[in-house]
Amino acid sequence: MVFGSVQSVVRNLESFNDANFTLMVIDESHRVSLNEDASYRQVIEHLRKHNPQLKILGLTATPYRLGQGFIYYRHHHGMVRGSEESFFRDCVFEQPLRLMVKQGYLAEPKRLDMAIEGYDFSALKPSSSGLFQEEELNRVVAGSRATPGIIGQIVERALDRQGVMIFAATVAHAEEIIGYLPRAEAALITGATPSQERTALIGAFKARELKYLVNVAVLTTGFDAPTWI
């Protein structure tokens, strides 16, 4: 059995010239691209050359990908979800989020209708990848009159909370948000935050030394804060 990141494996394919690899398990399998030149696809095709009977099992909590739709073609209940081009043919098991909330594995999500002005994203259109362009997002959120009111209400509602995570649309948006939070209780993490500093800030948040942690598309896949359970 071999464990490895796709980045490590694709750089060392010559170490996997073995027909004994019969099963490939991919975590966060929504990252498997339809592009045959992508890293995952290179690894898969290399292993298949040595073993055409290779089985592939994908695991993901997000089987729907922006710009593509469902990453599999058919659900085990018989419904067709994705397209014929989907890499994964069948979803063989699904654990519904509603059931996990009911069983206590996930916190119940609560939607609050704030009685303040919000952002108007109605004019934005996603790119071919399904994502919005940062420049266009900045036009909506950066310097918006809505931001101070939104953050003020977050602070008000978080008076009896010990930890609050805020997800910003862009770096400029996050930098504005951090300016409205109590300076000694808040920190900002972006893709440019050095690794050691990022680790220290996350550690301080988990230790309840920081109350607010603002981030931009960083604390998503794989982030866990079990101390808040």
Side-chain angles (χ1 to χ4, degrees):
M1 184 178 295
V2 176
F3 291 86
S5 68
V6 67
Q7 294 87 354
S8 296
V9 176
V10 78
R11 289 197 298 265
N12 297 277
L13 290 177
E14 67 280 357
S15 299
F16 297 87
N17 298 332
D18 192 334
N20 290 326
F21 287 104
T22 58
L23 173 64
M24 181 179 183
V25 180
I26 304 175
D27 194 18
E28 306 296 351
S29 58
H30 55 276
R31 296 184 180 276
V32 178
S33 173
L34 295 178
N35 182 356
E36 294 183 0
D37 294 327
S39 296
Y40 276 111
R41 299 297 295 274
Q42 290 183 49
V43 173
I44 291 167
E45 292 310 309
H46 180 83
L47 294 178
R48 276 179 170 167
K49 283 181 181 179
H50 295 280
N51 181 3
Q53 304 304 314
L54 176 74
K55 299 293 189 296
I56 300 173
L57 174 64
L59 309 174
T60 181
T62 51
Y64 189 93
R65 183 169 179 167
L66 290 174
Q68 176 184 332
F70 282 97
I71 64 172
Y72 59 86
Y73 176 62
R74 183 172 42 243
H75 192 273
H76 64 84
H77 286 158
M79 305 90 73
V80 172
R81 286 277 180 80
S83 69
E84 286 282 358
E85 290 74 33
S86 300
F87 177 77
F88 293 98
R89 300 307 301 165
D90 297 287
C91 171
V92 297
F93 175 79
E94 182 181 38
Q95 179 75 345
L97 294 180
R98 289 179 182 273
L99 179 60
M100 295 182 73
V101 170
K102 185 176 180 180
Q103 293 173 336
Y105 291 107
L106 296 175
E108 181 181 358
K110 295 182 179 179
R111 175 179 172 177
L112 303 177
D113 292 323
M114 304 300 193
I116 56 175
E117 181 182 5
Y119 303 117
D120 182 10
F121 294 106
S122 61
L124 296 184
K125 294 183 179 180
S127 64
S128 58
S129 66
L131 301 176
F132 295 108
Q133 297 295 325
E134 183 169 341
E135 182 181 351
E136 294 181 357
L137 283 169
N138 271 332
R139 291 197 193 105
V140 176
V141 300
S144 170
R145 293 178 303 169
T147 303
I150 291 172
I151 302 306
Q153 195 153 42
I154 288 175
V155 172
E156 179 183 345
R157 288 183 174 271
L159 289 176
D160 59 346
R161 302 286 182 173
Q162 296 182 351
V164 178
M165 294 181 66
I166 300 175
F167 297 85
T170 67
V171 173
H173 184 218
E175 291 172 343
E176 182 186 5
I177 288 173
I178 203 77
Y180 297 125
L181 293 170
R183 183 175 297 274
E185 300 179 52
L188 167 61
I189 294 178
T190 72
T193 305
S195 179
Q196 287 187 331
E197 181 182 350
R198 180 186 301 187
T199 300
L201 292 175
I202 292 174
F205 178 71
K206 290 183 177 182
R208 295 180 170 86
E209 296 168 5
L210 289 172
K211 181 172 182 176
Y212 303 94
L213 193 58
V214 184
N215 81 103
V216 186
V218 175
L219 305 180
T220 53
T221 302
F223 180 76
D224 189 23
T227 51
W228 296 113
I229 298 175

